[in-house]
Amino acid sequence: MYDVKDVNLSNCDREPIHIPGTIQPHGCLLACDQQLGTILRTSANAASFLSLGDVELNGRELSEALGAEFVHTLRNAAATASEGTRAVALVNQSLTPGGADFDIFVHRYKGAAIIEFEHADAPSSGGPLEISRTLVSSVARFTDLKDLFAKAPRLIRGVLGYDRVMIYQFAHDGSGKVIGEAKRSDLEGFNGTYFPATDIPQQARRLYLQNRIRVISNANCERMPIVPEYDASGEPLDLSMAHLRSVSPIHCEYLRNMGVGASMSISIVVDGALWGLIACHHYGPRILSLPQRIAAEMFGEFFSLQIEAMSRKWRLDSAARARRSLDRIMRDASYQGDIIGFLREKLEDFRRLVPCDGVGLWINGTWSTNGDTPPSKAAPSLMRFLGTVIDGRVWASHELSTGHPPAAEYADKVSGVLAVPLSQTPKDYLVFFRKEVVHTVEWAGDPNKKYEVGPLGDRLTPRKSFTIWQQTVERQSVPWTEDDREMAEAARTALLEVVMRHSEILETERQTADVRQKVLNEELNHRVKNILALIKSVVSQPIDPARDLTDYVASLKGRIMALAQAHDQVVRNDGGGALRDLLESELRPYRDAASISLNGPDIGLDARAYSVLALVLHELATNAAKYGSLSQTNGMLVVEWQINDDGRCDILWTERGGPPTSTPTRQGFGSVLLTRSIPFDLGGVSEINFEREGVTAHFVIPANFISELRQEKPKQRSTQKSQDHPSLDGLKVLLLEDQLVIALDAESMLQSCGVGGVDTTSTASEALRTLVATTPDIAVLDVNLGSGNSFPVAEELRRRKIPFIFATGYGDHTIIPKSMADIPVVRKPYDPDALAATMARALADRDA
């Protein structure tokens, strides 16, 4: 146990607050072995708090001390949670009939089972679900982050009753800012105020990630010791996950200096990192009831997801805006011979992509600028500095002179820099600049740590004053936001190919085919070696001298785009793709112009066949749009395919209702593609007939390029509303999925299918425990669970004759045991129709 006298200059950031050796006195604690058999340690007040009389609890059997029936309830509760996860809560439990009611937390951590008891409040209508529903339903109506941060504190304060509620966001340097506040009218406001990083030491931040809620009932309370403090091996009891864990004396003094008597902190965790806190202060003692605590914790998780979702949407919208602007620039760039000169002329347009005061382009050692930028003589030094800090990604600083001291000479003109690399090795850059903004930061008191000397020697003194303390900040710009970085990254991606293509032309001697392949793969991630070979063949074909150049360029672009789309599909589908998806992708632009019908089974093509057919189908679709049935509003296109007895796939393309057609008098590259690519590349058949009423094409794809898709899909797709899900009304589903966001999405899909309930688990052991307590009608099992797989659960389900399906994001089904090869498989990410259809198939197989 740590006394105030133990707190010195060195241990503020190293104080072992997770093993304080004491608890808060509004409850008691029992620590047992993992099986909740023998009591190993207790808080000093345990016997009296539980009204057990003057007895020694340590060393006794838990069932002897608390009763066998009560301990059975505790063990059942403990079995529902894995070690190191949040505590299981039991509300309004009594040790004996008619005895006092307790709220109880049970959890296992580092070899011990820890049981915490608090006095239960009188039963009320405000259970945890009702409270959390009130909070969540209100927050769900907020439309943006500004609205969320402004209104959420008032909502929390109204429901939980604290005197002050703040939304507190951490900056990259660890300091925090209050971005939303609700308070008693007589209290000083902290909204917009900064708090230094030292107010929350690192070990406390780690605990906020482990244990998402922290309640301090009384900053002036006496601590209740754990007996014994150390076990026989000298180890203290780790209270990281305990609700009653006592408070650091430094933090208690900090709260008292603020006049705070009690507090609660709810962690805001976004993308796995501690984004901030919901900090609740009360100016007197306050014990939050267990239902309120559970509701607050649930709300914190929902609040975190809301921030994550809104931030992600904002980033996507920002990227879309940047993309539209860049598309306009890139459209013009495709017709330019002097790309570098064109980029210099477009600097003013680039300046509009990101909020900035100026932009500079450094390419091939030449500096071009627009707006407020560093002087030309300073550019080479700045570029050399950027070369030392950029590792191929966007880099930003709002205080350039800190990392690059020569920038102090022009800090009044430029203090912020956002650099976009335009080459694989540091050489060429597009750089956005921001002016210095001399501003005043308001801190809640002097942010510097203070020390004083007393009878116990030097010791840390938490700040005693939280009166607003102003600091003038110079040589800094407005910080760059994540949205700014996203826009800059979008610019980098778009410009990279243009600049690289130009650089390759100028330096062909040092650009080998292998280097080009590596750079394009690493930087653009949309070409592979065989695709480059196909593009080379397409570009190398002779051009008819009489052909219009614009028409040739458009045709060439269309063929290359067809290859790009095919490659994207191949990558997404682990080496191939579905024929139906390829057809729909090629024909989607013409859906509104003509009647299009696609009929055939769901079959897959391997990577080679998919790329070849992408070119062939693109050529057919383009010709039909120019000269055939897709050029007329009353035109009709029917594409049908089937698998023959020998495994080959017959594809029939029939156009009707377009202008009259006739056999071409000359054979261009497009005709060569249609008639020769399938026979040459795949050993198949290509037949094209130009009948007066429309073109008819017949293709045969050999069986070795064909595979049946295991995932069930509707046989007919159209632009109409998707078909209803197969009926799953009232069924109880066991869902095993180790990714929370994916699990939530799957739950929503299952609920939309009408299921009666979903038991969601994240590990095989948790799923097996759930099967002990309940019998589902059907189960959905994610194959890969990070550190393991779901096959033990599948074995148990098969033993109990409960139907189930596998879910996997991997293309290789060989990971599924041969003994379970007959189990239906649904591909991830989940699709509602496919999920419902695959489950219906499993149910039908059971009933067959």
Side-chain angles (χ1 to χ4, degrees), residues 443-464:
W443 296 91
D446 187 344
N448 301 304
K449 285 187 176 180
K450 300 293 185 182
Y451 305 94
E452 67 181 21
V453 177
L456 301 176
D458 292 342
R459 65 179 295 271
L460 178 68
T461 304
R463 291 182 288 124
K464 294 181 172 62

Side-chain angles (χ1 to χ4, degrees), residues 717-744:
R717 296 185 187 178
S718 70
T719 55
Q720 302 300 318
K721 184 177 179 181
S722 62
Q723 300 176 6
D724 293 336
H725 302 306
S727 175
L728 301 173
D729 291 347
L731 296 185
K732 187 172 183 180
V733 180
L734 171 65
L735 173 63
L736 174 53
E737 170 59 61
D738 64 336
Q739 295 292 324
L740 174 61
V741 175
I742 297 176
L744 292 174

Side-chain angles (χ1 to χ4, degrees), residues 18-46:
H18 61 299
I19 49 171
T22 58
I23 65 168
Q24 299 181 62
H26 64 274
C28 75
L29 178 147
L30 303 179
C32 306
D33 56 51
Q34 284 271 23
Q35 289 72 40
L36 280 80
T38 304
I39 301 173
L40 304 177
R41 311 188 210 200
T42 66
S43 59
N45 64 338

Side-chain angles (χ1 to χ4, degrees), residues 84-106:
T85 59
R86 75 180 66 182
V88 178
L90 299 171
V91 182
N92 292 325
Q93 301 289 314
S94 60
L95 297 180
T96 58
D101 285 339
F102 297 98
D103 290 335
I104 303 170
F105 284 105
V106 186

Side-chain angles (χ1 to χ4, degrees), residues 224-245:
M224 192 61 59
I226 301 293
V227 181
E229 183 178 354
Y230 300 98
D231 65 13
S233 299
E235 288 294 324
L237 183 64
D238 194 316
L239 298 179
S240 296
M241 306 298 294
H243 285 255
L244 290 173
R245 173 169 50 87

Side-chain angles (χ1 to χ4, degrees), residues 634-652:
N634 61 343
M636 181 177 67
L637 169 64
V638 177
V639 185
E640 298 174 301
W641 63 95
Q642 64 180 11
I643 301 295
N644 296 329
D645 293 339
D646 58 5
R648 298 188 302 169
C649 177
D650 276 319
I651 304 174
L652 184 63

Side-chain angles (χ1 to χ4, degrees), residues 479-492:
W480 305 94
T481 66
E482 191 64 30
D483 302 319
D484 299 330
R485 289 175 176 270
E486 290 286 345
M487 287 190 177
E489 182 62 31
R492 185 187 79 89

